[in-house]
Amino acid sequence: MVKKKICVIGLGYIGLPTSALLASRGYDVHGVDVVQSVVDIINQGKIHIVEPELDTFVKAAVNSGKLKADIKPANADIFIIAVPTPFNDGFVPNIDYVVSATKAIAPYLQEGNIVILESTSPVGTTDLVEETLSKERPDLFEIDNSTYKIQHSKLFTAHCPERVLPGHIMRELVENDRIVGGTTPEATKITAEFYREFVAGEVLETDAKTAEMAKLTENSFRDTNIAFANELSMLCDKFGINVWELIKLANRHPRVNILNPGAGVGGHCIAVDPWFIVHAGGESAKLIKTSREVNNYKTEWVIEKIKNAALKFENENGRKAKVACMGLAFKPDIDDLRESPALYITRRLKADGLDILAVEPNIDNHKEFEIVNYQKTLEQADIVTFLVAHKEFKKLDIKTDLDFCGVLNI
Ligand SMILES: NC(=O)c1ccc[n+]([C@@H]2O[C@H](COP(=O)([O-])OP(=O)(O)OC[C@H]3O[C@@H](n4cnc5c(N)ncnc54)[C@H](O)[C@@H]3O)[C@@H](O)[C@H]2O)c1
């Protein structure tokens, strides 16, 4: 192991598992988060997010003294930035967290350090990180006085996007192939060598912009393919065809592989990252933009379907229906509610005056809804609507026309 001390900025779903894994491999890890309670929980050897195996890794890492959390960065050989990259109103990428993390590490940098941006980022963000560092720490850069361009950096700056699947993060951090793109060929090489120390998958070398675009491309590919399935589901509803049966049949073609439709697309990757391309690509990003719109429209369509069913019940029974919203998470078998269409649907139905029973087997409570046990809910509900295909729901013997995630069909 050439480099020993790592400073990880942002201890969420990506930064914390990465920190714990590196600590388990013998690195000294200084983890940084701006939220004091996150720092405190980790220093007690506990975790603030739900992810299988992570608790064991963090406990061992903290007990061995290899992982310490702090509110401030410290000197290190390698700095890894894993802070959020959401979007602002109008789907404009927000890289404020990246910029503020970059500024926060600047005073601690020394010649020869590696700075890695792991956050999913719009094309050009790694260059911006380097530019920001050159302003904060001019002593580490040679700048051309006439063009103000960086001629030489005493740091190695690179992007290495993360592509782990929540629920399998500890395994995928090691097994997945990784893409590393530096702002210079040397930065690419030295950063790739670091990843090869703990990644069993292949570490593929490119430049920073291609690495940034690769991550955005992966998620846009998924989004576009789900949009196709979602559009099919709305067409099938119009034509009186069971979309799940249709997809099963079509997928018997040796070169067809249609994904499953759902209540929309959520999570803070697939529902967000394509907008980074659309924002920068403008008119050239037609298909990617339309896919985002189709997936968002599917969520509105689901809301209308449920409202119509509730209205029909009320007309027929002379009282309001109790509507069970089965699932709030953005996908099956996780507790992550970020950008969740199911949560959005439940919220909208409640706001529009429907009598909602909110079910989410993966969380105990929620600030907006009373979380009701799913078996109890089924006894009380007049209308059952499946929004997320959680494993608990698959065993249920229930009939409903409002299965938007195929839990009764797949
Ligand atoms: N979660 C995933 O499955 C996943 C997968 C691939 C890529 N990513 C990308 O990785 C990045 C991080 O995502 P995440 O899921 O870990 O986010 P997260 O919200 O779980 O964690 C981010 C953490 O960073 C902290 N933070 C914010 N600003 C900070 C700062 N200036 N200094 C120190 N800490 C700061 C927050 O308090 C938070 O704890 C995002 O760009 C995301 O798109 C996430």
Side-chain angles (χ1 to χ4, degrees), residues 9-10 12-14 33-35 83 85 100 119-120 162 166 268 338:
I9 316 295
Y13 283 91
I14 296 301
D33 205 285
V34 283
V35 178
V83 295
T85 43
S100 96
S119 300
T120 304
E162 190 49 78
H268 88 325
R338 289 177 293 180

Side-chain angles (χ1 to χ4, degrees), residues 247-357:
I247 291 174
K248 259 182 221 159
L249 293 172
N251 279 348
R252 294 298 282 269
H253 182 293
R255 285 165 296 281
V256 172
N257 184 14
I258 303 167
L259 302 182
N260 292 323
V265 170
H268 88 325
C269 285
I270 298 181
V272 174
D273 304 347
W275 289 118
F276 294 2
I277 296 181
V278 172
H279 177 71
E283 280 301 298
S284 306
K286 280 194 185 67
L287 179 63
I288 294 174
K289 182 171 185 234
T290 304
S291 301
R292 276 284 67 241
E293 287 166 351
V294 168
N295 286 330
N296 284 346
Y297 174 69
K298 176 70 190 284
T299 306
E300 297 298 328
W301 184 89
V302 169
I303 292 170
E304 278 314 300
K305 281 268 161 200
I306 299 172
K307 279 165 73 171
N308 286 341
L311 194 63
K312 186 166 178 269
F313 180 93
E314 199 171 332
N315 288 340
E316 286 171 4
N317 296 276
R319 64 172 177 88
K320 272 173 86 170
K322 276 189 184 303
V323 180
C325 292
M326 305 292 279
L328 296 178
F330 84 79
K331 65 175 182 177
D333 306 325
I334 56 167
D335 71 326
D336 195 337
L337 307 188
R338 289 177 293 180
E339 308 292 330
S340 168
L343 177 64
Y344 176 80
I345 290 164
T346 309
R347 228 177 231 153
R348 280 273 305 275
L349 294 176
K350 189 180 169 194
D352 289 350
L354 267 72
D355 198 353
I356 289 303
L357 297 162

